[in-house]
Amino acid sequence: MLLATTAVLGADQTQEDHSLFADWGSGHGQSFMPATTGVLYGLEIAIETNDNPGSIEVFLWKTDSSGRPFDPPLTSGYFDKTNVVHPHPSWYPVFFDPPYTQTPGEKLAFTITLLTSGSSGWNDYGYVDANAYPNGCRILYDPSWLEEPFTSYSNSDWAFRTLVIPETQLTFTKPYAEPSYIFGTVSSEEYIVYALQLCSNLSVDTWSNISVQAGTGAPLTWPPMTGTNPLGFF
């Protein structure tokens, strides 16, 4: 069963001032607070091009009120240095695998972990030395090498955009229709089967069904719901 979606992919939280750039190391990142319920599937960061870019992993965390992350991370996304191709500072997306279902007002943060450094590749990341984003700030969190594993910088912010599909925009169009055996009832009427899917491996375009629902028309609104499922849909 195939899925077609009319979701609009957009930013929820943003701080777009990248007047400064720095070669941040592992553990640097930004705290933020979502404004909408929806699927947080990635973020964009500003990177200034150099001749030897680097690869990173970006981790997403729940935090306390100060922005200090709680272990373990919620999810992560991989960014390969071959993606850095533009000749000037540009926005680059990092996609979380799996995505995370966010709720308004919760405290979240992202941090980077360097997968390359020095001669193997590095990046300069956009930021601003000002309190440009009111619901978070630049942070440093890495217990693996820091004696004091957490620091917040209240007058400094990363340049970032969180990429979110709001729950009100999770709608489904008609994938196919045929007489079907649905929920124990054989019917000659036209029924529609909808599959809610997520990409479980972005690099090879692997999609998996999260759930299946029947209906008789489209679009069918299917908002994500909180619960014990790690993907947050049930």
Side-chain angles (χ1 to χ4, degrees):
M1 290 167 283
L2 300 178
L3 165 69
T5 178
T6 59
V8 177
L9 311 185
D12 176 41
Q13 297 298 291
T14 64
Q15 192 301 104
E16 300 192 355
D17 187 340
H18 51 283
S19 53
L20 300 173
F21 286 86
D23 177 19
W24 301 124
S26 291
H28 283 272
Q30 172 80 26
S31 59
F32 64 96
M33 186 172 67
T36 61
T37 300
V39 178
L40 173 58
Y41 66 95
L43 55 87
E44 289 184 323
I45 52 179
I47 296 177
E48 187 174 47
T49 302
N50 67 78
D51 293 333
N52 186 27
S55 298
I56 59 172
E57 188 166 8
V58 178
F59 290 90
L60 180 69
W61 311 82
K62 278 186 176 293
T63 77
D64 64 15
S65 59
S66 71
R68 183 188 180 113
F70 294 124
D71 289 312
L74 298 169
T75 185
S76 67
Y78 172 70
F79 180 80
D80 191 88
K81 61 184 181 180
T82 59
N83 292 324
V84 182
V85 296
H86 301 294
H88 302 293
S90 298
W91 291 96
Y92 291 91
V94 182
F95 300 109
F96 293 132
D97 186 10
Y100 172 71
T101 301
Q102 66 176 31
T103 57
E106 68 175 322
K107 306 293 187 180
L108 300 175
F110 67 85
T111 60
I112 64 170
T113 293
L114 304 186
L115 303 179
T116 62
S117 62
S119 61
S120 61
W122 52 276
N123 300 314
D124 281 331
Y125 304 96
Y127 75 105
V128 59
D129 267 339
N131 186 15
Y133 175 73
N135 295 317
C137 65
R138 188 165 62 84
I139 66 169
L140 174 60
Y141 177 74
D142 193 336
S144 69
W145 66 278
L146 292 170
E147 182 176 347
E148 171 49 55
F150 175 73
T151 305
S152 63
Y153 304 88
S154 59
N155 289 313
S156 187
D157 288 298
W158 270 60
F160 74 100
R161 302 166 175 160
T162 62
L163 303 177
V164 175
I165 307 173
E167 68 171 351
T168 56
Q169 295 175 355
L170 282 175
T171 58
F172 299 86
T173 56
K174 193 180 294 186
Y176 71 87
E178 62 182 18
S180 303
Y181 185 83
I182 299 177
F183 302 145
T185 302
V186 178
S187 173
S188 61
E189 299 178 7
E190 183 184 75
Y191 278 84
I192 314 301
V193 178
Y194 299 85
L196 178 61
Q197 296 183 321
L198 284 179
C199 188
S200 57
N201 190 325
L202 290 168
S203 61
V204 295
D205 197 32
T206 301
W207 290 82
S208 57
N209 284 354
I210 304 306
S211 188
V212 176
Q213 184 170 334
T216 58
L220 172 67
T221 300
W222 201 340
M225 295 171 286
T226 58
T228 57
N229 183 283
L231 292 172
F233 284 97
F234 305 106

